[in-house]
Amino acid sequence: SIVKRETIRFGSKGNDVLFLHKQLKKLKYGVNVNSDYFDSTTKMCVINYQAAHSLEPDGIVGNKTWEEIEKIK
């Protein structure tokens, strides 16, 4: 089942950010897994992740980035 996730960016807060942090941590990105706040560290990690996955490295987690994030096991 596909969860419809919000587009999140710097300053966002909530469960989608928490999920993003948990997923990025699995890939050893240095995010705070206990935080639901999208801070400057999160933004840098997202940009690096996007660049590594042929996504627009804008630091904003929209549909295309979510599709890739959701695949992380």
Side-chain angles (χ1 to χ4, degrees):
S1 64
I2 298 298
V3 177
K4 179 68 183 120
R5 299 201 180 272
E6 295 296 314
T7 295
I8 57 173
R9 53 174 55 83
F10 180 78
S12 295
K13 201 167 165 54
N15 286 335
D16 283 344
V17 180
L18 206 53
F19 177 75
L20 173 67
H21 285 165
K22 289 193 164 86
Q23 293 296 89
L24 288 175
K25 194 68 174 179
K26 291 176 186 173
L27 298 178
K28 307 288 188 265
Y29 284 92
V31 290
N32 178 0
V33 289
N34 300 312
S35 170
D36 70 348
Y37 181 68
F38 195 126
D39 61 14
S40 56
T41 302
T42 306
K43 183 174 180 177
M44 280 311 307
C45 291
V46 168
I47 288 170
N48 291 335
Y49 176 84
Q50 289 169 324
H53 291 83
S54 305
L55 295 159
E56 178 76 33
D58 57 8
I60 298 168
V61 184
N63 291 337
K64 287 182 179 146
T65 301
W66 273 129
E67 272 177 39
E68 294 302 316
I69 294 287
E70 295 272 1
K71 291 178 191 169
I72 300 168
K73 292 287 180 257

